[in-house]
Amino acid sequence: QLQLQESGPGLVKPSETLSLRCTVSGDSVDSSPYYWAWIRQAPGRGLEWMGSIRYTGTPYYNPSLRGRVTISLDTSKSHFSLRLPSVTAADTAVYYCARHIKKQWVPADPWGQGTLVTVSS
Amino acid sequence: QSVLTQPPSASGTAGQRVTISCSGSSSNIGGNYVYWFQQFPGTAPKVCIYRDEQRPSGVPDRFSGSRSGTSASLAIGGLRPEDEADYYCATWDDSLSAWVFGGGTKLTVL
């Protein structure tokens, strides 16, 4: 049974780099045909897809974030990561990790519980 | 500004039927499946409708979805207090090569 768990610092200073990890259990991040995604939700706001990485290691990013976001796989440790440099207060959000297939969400696949990241000095 | 347009709020009394709309374009809803997520405060979203109209196991048959052209809708019949939540539509956008979400609709059961 798939389980995802986000981890990382809950507080990041402005201009620094936000780094999060999603630990995967019940599957491997190099398992075909899956994609591994990061989605965030600013306080009181809607959902924003940040990007996904295919099991082969090919990433796909939200055009609105391109150039800032990097998603990578660590197949040996079965997790994937998010890196967002030069953060501002606008990056304060709950960050979720999730799994999907090409252009589809799998209804039985739960998202991670989410982790709140606050950008503040 | 979200790529998909939803009403910010919807409401109904217990037992009523409510419909939430989701409007997009030919590059997203017009050519791809629509998904509906239900989110309770402080929890992660969960799929309540997938592939336009399919219900996951455990979702009551009071929930139904449809898609026509560049719009989709989620209908909840026989409203119950436990249906009170935020609902988001989502689909893939072929032009953006990105998942896009609606802004979300807060459903209140009066």
Side-chain angles (χ1 to χ4, degrees):
Chain A
Q1 186 172 355
L2 180 71
Q3 288 188 331
L4 305 174
Q5 178 68 58
E6 306 88 352
S7 60
L11 181 64
V12 181
K13 290 182 167 54
S15 80
E16 294 190 344
T17 296
L18 182 161
S19 295
L20 294 176
R21 172 179 295 181
C22 181
T23 301
V24 177
S25 56
D27 195 7
S28 173
V29 295
D30 58 0
S31 173
S32 172
Y34 295 106
Y35 295 67
W36 305 92
W38 286 98
I39 303 103
R40 69 179 180 178
Q41 185 172 35
R45 305 295 296 273
L47 301 167
E48 177 184 31
W49 174 76
M50 300 184 71
S52 299
I53 188 163
R54 194 170 177 235
Y55 68 98
T56 56
T58 303
Y60 303 85
Y61 299 127
N62 187 325
S64 68
L65 294 170
R66 194 163 290 156
R68 285 191 66 209
V69 63
T70 302
I71 299 175
S72 58
L73 290 181
D74 187 330
T75 57
S76 63
K77 293 183 171 58
S78 206
H79 67 252
F80 63 105
S81 301
L82 171 74
R83 187 174 181 274
L84 188 68
S86 306
V87 296
T88 69
D91 296 308
T92 294
V94 174
Y95 287 76
Y96 297 101
C97 57
R99 183 178 80 171
H100 65 90
I101 57 177
K102 186 176 182 181
K103 299 186 182 184
Q104 297 188 54
W105 293 100
V106 178
D109 284 355
W111 291 19
Q113 65 184 28
T115 186
L116 174 62
V117 178
T118 301
V119 178
S120 175
S121 56
Chain B
Q1 200 78 319
S2 302
V3 173
L4 305 180
T5 302
Q6 294 180 237
S9 64
S11 64
T13 58
Q16 275 190 331
R17 176 184 172 88
V18 67
T19 300
I20 298 170
S21 62
C22 177
S23 177
S25 68
S26 58
S27 64
N28 44 65
I29 293 179
N32 293 293
Y33 288 125
V34 173
Y35 295 78
W36 290 91
F37 288 86
Q38 178 187 57
Q39 185 181 33
F40 297 107
T43 69
K46 288 184 179 179
V47 174
C48 62
I49 292 289
Y50 68 103
R51 292 188 180 182
D52 300 337
E53 60 184 11
Q54 304 299 315
R55 275 179 296 105
S57 174
V59 173
D61 60 7
R62 302 182 293 104
F63 286 72
S64 62
S66 64
R67 175 171 68 109
S68 179
T70 59
S71 294
S73 62
L74 170 70
I76 308 172
L79 268 180
R80 302 178 73 161
E82 57 262 38
D83 299 330
E84 192 162 287
D86 293 326
Y87 293 86
Y88 295 89
C89 57
T91 188
W92 181 259
D93 190 297
D94 290 319
S95 293
L96 297 173
S97 292
W99 281 105
V100 291
F101 288 89
T105 299
K106 183 177 182 60
L107 175 63
T108 302
V109 181
L110 302 169

